[in-house]
Amino acid sequence: MKTYSISEVAKELNLTVYTLRYYDKEGLIPFVERTTSGTRVFKESDIDALKVIECLKATGMPIKEIKTFIDWCSEGDATLQQRYDMFLARKAHVEAQMEELKKAMEVIEHKCFYYKTALEAETEEIHKNMKIGISISN
């Protein structure tokens, strides 16, 4: 079985070694084994678990809640329902985030159009007669 050093894992996941040490300190990676000298030794399954941690973190889930999830994983099948419910809640959270981002993108696209048109006309005056919808400060 292939193993990885902390620096190899950091590079693979585009994280810092400091971040991985922080995750360890916070109890997010209790499954990572250590050599007799205390060096962390990562397996492929550890990297997969870290990818899930990074996914949850990217959704805005607090470290404390991610720790709860990791603890549930350690408890085994008795926590399958809690883990399923957590992912359903996270899915709803991400869907809401995506809706907000979609609205933000509409404003951004409008402002791109606004400024592109103004640049082409060499003045914002062109918009005074166009009556375009969103009136966020120019």
Side-chain angles (χ1 to χ4, degrees), residues 19-38:
T19 298
L20 291 172
R21 288 187 181 129
Y22 173 73
Y23 287 175
D24 194 18
K25 183 173 104 20
E26 293 298 315
L28 298 183
I29 52 175
F31 41 79
V32 173
E33 296 174 6
R34 290 179 181 255
T35 65
T36 52
S37 62

Side-chain angles (χ1 to χ4, degrees), residues 17-63:
V17 168
Y18 171 81
T19 298
L20 291 172
R21 288 187 181 129
Y22 173 73
Y23 287 175
D24 194 18
K25 183 173 104 20
E26 293 298 315
L28 298 183
I29 52 175
F31 41 79
V32 173
E33 296 174 6
R34 290 179 181 255
T35 65
T36 52
S37 62
T39 304
R40 293 170 189 87
V41 179
F42 293 82
K43 301 180 301 270
E44 201 67 46
S45 60
D46 300 334
I47 294 171
D48 291 342
L50 281 161
K51 288 177 182 175
V52 173
I53 290 168
E54 283 302 291
C55 170
L56 293 172
K57 196 169 148 244
T59 70
M61 180 180 266
I63 294 291

Side-chain angles (χ1 to χ4, degrees), residues 27-110:
L28 298 183
I29 52 175
F31 41 79
V32 173
E33 296 174 6
R34 290 179 181 255
T35 65
T36 52
S37 62
T39 304
R40 293 170 189 87
V41 179
F42 293 82
K43 301 180 301 270
E44 201 67 46
S45 60
D46 300 334
I47 294 171
D48 291 342
L50 281 161
K51 288 177 182 175
V52 173
I53 290 168
E54 283 302 291
C55 170
L56 293 172
K57 196 169 148 244
T59 70
M61 180 180 266
I63 294 291
K64 184 178 178 183
E65 290 180 31
I66 296 172
K67 166 83 167 82
T68 299
F69 167 70
I70 296 299
D71 291 344
W72 286 340
C73 291
S74 299
E75 293 174 30
D77 290 347
T79 62
L80 284 172
Q81 187 67 53
Q82 288 99 317
R83 289 182 271 162
Y84 175 67
D85 292 345
M86 184 211 73
F87 273 98
L88 284 178
R90 193 65 1 207
K91 181 177 183 271
H93 177 79
V94 170
E95 287 169 343
Q97 285 178 314
M98 289 171 64
E99 277 303 309
E100 288 301 312
L101 286 172
K102 184 179 172 191
K103 291 174 187 171
M105 182 59 86
E106 288 172 4
V107 172
I108 290 168
E109 286 173 344
H110 168 76

